[in-house]
Amino acid sequence: VLDAPPLYEFLELGIPVAGCEMRIVDPEDGVTPCPNGESGELQVRGPMVFVRYYNNPEATSSSFVEDGWYRTGDVGIIEKGKMRLSGRIKDTVIVHGVSYGIPELETYLQTVEGVTHSFLAAVPYRAPGQETEGFAVFYSPTFDLDSEDAPVKLYATHCAIRDVCVKLITLPPRLIIPIPINRMEKTTLGKLSRARLVNLFKQGEFAMHIARAEELFDIARDASFVALSTETEKILADIYAGILNLSVGDMSASGNFFELGGTSVDVIRLKREGESAFELPEIPIIQILKHPVISSLAKYVDSLVSKATSEEYDPIVPLQLTGRKTPVFMVHPGMAEVLIFVNLAKYFQNERPFYALRARGFELGQPFFTTTDEMVSCYTAAVKRTQPHGPYAIAGYSYGGVIAFEIAKRLEAMGDKVKFTGVIDIVAHRARENDWTLCLLTLSHLLGLVSEQDINDLAPSMRPLTRREQLKIVWKLSPPEPLVELQLTPAKLTHWVNVSGSLMECGKNYEPASSVSVMDVFYANPARGSKEAWLHRLKRWSDYCRSEPSYIDVPGHHYTLMDFDHVPRFQKIFRDRLEARGL
């Protein structure tokens, strides 16, 4: 802890070690020294610096300048002999530890409608106060920012730029700045100078253009703005704004919780705050997922308050409805819930609808499924109601992968075309015969109540106990945070285990048969053994596909491949496979 605030945003790193030299130069030519205290490219040389890349003269030539100075690619400042780093100038941006190429991103962004070709630059950028590096996009629009339709065109262009960035490198730009073409000067080689654009931005040279863009955005928002008309809508708008750190005055009755930035964790907070605000014993999470728009959720809350709600079971949960490409239908894992798919669905905005299928039995009066055939028939009919004609994209996570395979078979038997069958980290065999104890421990692990090691350690000693006694053991081990976030009670957890157990019971005699036309099998790091051994077991799926399945390695483990750390990379891999299948 510092006794006093630092003098600079970036802490001093000191002077170089003995024998090492450092200098700050103009990044454009790589040789012109910058004045004391001015930002530029950091270069170093000395006996501890390597002299070339092995068998790569091209890389060596681009990384070294005359007299042996090495171009680090870092942006730094040397003042009074002491150095501070402030970012990167190399053509990469690092997201979640993964390096992405800026030139590749720019190539895709050049195709966005509204962007003048070859007048776009994506630049690594770290905003003041931000702990991690992001990037900014500068571009010249093809349309006049003073034209009557400029607000609509600008809004559409910026949405498209954001979507491309999220899908390619899993991160939206921190800034998107439209600039007149005469301010986008090119070098003698015909390239835009990223360093010059950043310097002009930092000097405030683009302030007028940024202000104009914000003005147009306000006009575009006002055009689609729907005023809050009921007291319930106003209360929900206040809750939305508080959770998402937005202004209540900007909240429209047509605002969608997920499109505004809501995550799976935020859903739980919305549920808790909504129940408190309306003095309701429960607002089911599934209804929040089905009614993410303020006006729609307000109507559902009003029906709860008046006790006039009685919805029939529908397995389809629409997590994302925008876009024109073939929809994705994702089947729940063995825990039966679909909350795990919320963060994945956000990556499909403006590209394709994303539907999840949720098991039966959560709501009061709903019977459990009793056979796999009953479940598959119900889900297939729901898919057909939602999308009457193919081609279809069906996928499932863990237990849901087997069900997705069966749905794809059923659709093909009806004469429909299934162009994507995604099986996520599950082998081709009958469901493991989980007893109630194993269902309780497995679900508790997925909810963050116990560790994976606890499953193996506790199962033998817990089996002889009564269910009440087993539940007490899990409850005692559970940290308070997830219990509060999920609003779990022993009764709710017991019911959840029973729903999950009913699925295991359905699958206990299941054996795969017949085949589908195409299949993509995604596999993560196994809990035990090597990844090669796990892949060998997964390859049994080849017996149930009329073409050779694709086997795709994904980051993370079975229980973590869709969590916050891994879903950015998983979505890109998953979307690439959809594209590869012609969807």
Side-chain angles (χ1 to χ4, degrees):
V1 179
L2 298 174
D3 294 329
L7 295 175
Y8 310 104
E9 180 182 0
F10 303 99
L11 294 178
E12 288 182 346
L13 301 180
I15 61 175
V17 297
C20 179
E21 298 177 84
M22 62 183 182
R23 70 177 184 178
I24 303 295
V25 301
D26 183 340
E28 288 304 303
D29 61 23
V31 294
T32 304
C34 292
N36 181 61
E38 186 173 306
S39 174
E41 179 187 357
L42 172 67
Q43 295 182 354
V44 295
R45 71 177 177 182
M48 67 290 294
V49 179
F50 74 110
V51 295
R52 64 186 176 88
Y53 284 95
Y54 180 68
N55 283 344
N56 194 339
E58 184 177 335
T60 300
S61 175
S62 64
S63 298
F64 289 86
V65 295
E66 58 189 29
D67 297 328
W69 288 101
Y70 172 62
R71 309 186 70 168
T72 66
D74 293 314
V75 176
I77 299 169
I78 295 179
E79 193 167 10
K80 297 179 182 178
K82 295 182 180 180
M83 190 261 291
R84 306 193 303 273
L85 290 180
S86 59
R88 296 281 293 167
I89 60 172
K90 284 191 172 179
D91 293 347
T92 59
V93 62
I94 299 173
V95 183
H96 301 291
V98 179
S99 182
Y100 295 93
I102 289 291
E104 179 189 8
L105 174 63
E106 289 178 338
T107 298
Y108 281 93
L109 290 176
Q110 300 280 5
T111 66
V112 170
E113 185 175 353
V115 173
T116 303
H117 187 72
S118 82
F119 282 89
L120 176 143
V123 183
Y125 171 67
R126 183 182 180 278
Q130 292 289 336
E131 295 182 359
T132 57
E133 185 181 60
F135 66 100
V137 174
F138 301 88
Y139 80 100
S140 289
T142 57
F143 49 90
D144 185 353
L145 291 180
D146 292 321
S147 63
E148 187 176 342
D149 58 357
V152 174
K153 288 184 175 179
L154 186 75
Y155 184 81
T157 301
H158 284 214
C159 285
I161 288 174
R162 178 194 176 280
D163 288 343
V164 169
C165 293
V166 167
K167 288 159 187 171
L168 278 179
I169 67 172
T170 77
L171 189 73
R174 289 222 165 102
L175 297 166
I176 304 176
I177 304 176
I179 303 170
I181 203 165
N182 60 3
R183 299 300 305 273
M184 299 279 276
E185 295 181 20
K186 293 188 175 184
T187 67
T188 54
L189 297 177
K191 294 183 178 181
L192 293 172
S193 169
R194 297 190 183 98
R196 181 178 178 279
L197 287 170
V198 171
N199 285 333
L200 289 174
F201 165 70
K202 289 181 176 179
Q203 294 165 13
E205 294 293 321
F206 297 146
M208 179 178 66
H209 307 305
I210 294 172
R212 177 55 178 160
E214 290 175 350
E215 179 185 344
L216 294 174
F217 260 88
D218 287 340
I219 295 172
R221 278 193 289 265
D222 289 343
S224 60
F225 189 85
V226 179
L228 305 168
S229 59
T230 69
E231 188 62 27
T232 305
E233 288 181 354
K234 293 174 183 176
I235 293 172
L236 284 174
D238 190 58
I239 295 172
Y240 275 39
I243 293 173
L244 303 175
N245 197 27
L246 300 172
S247 168
V248 178
D250 291 336
M251 300 304 296
S252 167
S254 61
N256 184 301
F257 187 72
F258 301 115
E259 292 178 10
L260 291 170
T263 67
S264 58
V265 174
D266 295 328
V267 170
I268 297 167
R269 186 177 166 191
L270 173 58
K271 166 185 166 65
R272 188 166 63 244
E273 294 190 16
E275 289 166 350
S276 175
F278 298 105
E279 298 182 348
L280 289 168
E282 183 176 23
I283 300 176
I285 283 178
I286 187 64
Q287 298 303 335
I288 294 175
L289 298 179
K290 287 185 174 182
H291 305 283
V293 173
I294 288 179
S295 59
S296 177
L297 185 57
K299 289 177 182 177
Y300 177 76
V301 168
D302 287 339
S303 71
L304 287 180
V305 173
S306 64
K307 299 180 180 179
T309 180
S310 58
E311 288 197 13
E312 289 187 10
Y313 167 70
D314 182 354
I316 297 291
V317 181
L319 295 181
Q320 201 292 112
L321 292 174
T322 60
R324 298 182 179 180
K325 292 186 177 181
T326 301
V328 170
F329 292 88
M330 183 73 78
V331 184
H332 58 79
M335 66 186 291
E337 262 293 7
V338 298
L339 199 59
I340 194 170
F341 299 138
V342 168
N343 299 323
L344 175 62
K346 291 163 66 71
Y347 288 97
F348 292 85
Q349 285 182 13
N350 300 317
E351 180 182 296
R352 67 179 80 239
F354 189 106
Y355 300 99
L357 288 103
R358 186 185 192 236
R360 192 174 69 193
F362 279 101
E363 310 304 328
L364 187 66
Q366 288 180 358
F368 298 151
F369 288 120
T370 56
T371 66
T372 300
D373 184 70
E374 180 190 16
M375 189 191 319
V376 172
S377 295
C378 176
Y379 291 175
T380 304
V383 169
K384 291 285 286 182
R385 282 196 305 273
T386 307
Q387 183 189 340
H389 308 289
Y392 290 98
I394 312 292
Y397 176 26
S398 190
Y399 178 98
V402 172
I403 305 304
F405 166 71
E406 291 296 326
I407 294 171
K409 278 170 46 184
R410 194 74 60 92
L411 289 168
E412 289 185 340
M414 294 176 179
D416 290 305
K417 189 172 186 61
V418 179
K419 295 186 72 172
F420 181 86
T421 305
V423 176
I424 304 172
D425 218 40
I426 189 70
V427 294
H429 62 56
R430 63 192 176 94
R432 186 170 55 172
E433 291 190 29
N434 285 3
D435 53 28
W436 197 88
T437 302
L438 203 51
C439 280
L440 169 63
L441 289 171
T442 302
L443 178 61
S444 297
H445 171 58
L446 290 171
L447 297 176
L449 308 184
V450 300
S451 70
E452 189 170 353
Q453 188 60 44
D454 287 332
I455 298 176
N456 300 319
D457 293 345
L458 295 174
S461 61
M462 284 175 54
R463 282 193 178 94
L465 305 177
T466 66
R467 292 184 177 184
R468 182 186 293 271
E469 290 170 333
Q470 294 181 42
L471 197 62
K472 282 184 178 179
I473 292 174
V474 169
W475 210 255
K476 188 174 181 180
L477 290 172
S478 302
E481 292 82 4
L483 296 178
V484 173
E485 286 180 355
L486 294 167
Q487 289 195 308
L488 275 179
T489 64
K492 287 181 180 178
L493 180 57
T494 298
H495 184 69
W496 199 339
V497 174
N498 290 338
V499 176
S500 180
S502 72
L503 299 180
M504 298 303 110
E505 186 68 20
C506 286
K508 72 178 184 180
N509 295 317
Y510 171 81
E511 286 287 353
S514 191
S515 61
V516 293
S517 58
V518 296
M519 184 182 293
D520 289 88
V521 181
F522 302 83
Y523 63 99
N525 292 307
R528 290 174 295 278
S530 68
K531 207 165 194 178
E532 292 73 22
W534 178 231
L535 176 59
H536 179 74
R537 292 181 61 198
L538 287 168
K539 286 197 171 180
R540 190 185 167 194
W541 278 114
S542 298
D543 297 337
Y544 304 102
C545 187
R546 296 189 293 278
S547 58
E548 181 58 28
S550 293
Y551 294 90
I552 305 100
D553 188 351
V554 297
H557 290 78
H558 181 79
Y559 296 122
T560 65
L561 62 89
M562 288 194 197
D563 66 13
F564 280 109
D565 291 330
H566 296 107
V567 75
R569 293 178 65 189
F570 178 82
Q571 65 83 20
K572 189 174 187 306
I573 294 168
F574 189 83
R575 290 175 49 257
D576 284 346
R577 290 311 305 162
L578 287 167
E579 296 286 344
R581 294 293 183 186
L583 297 173

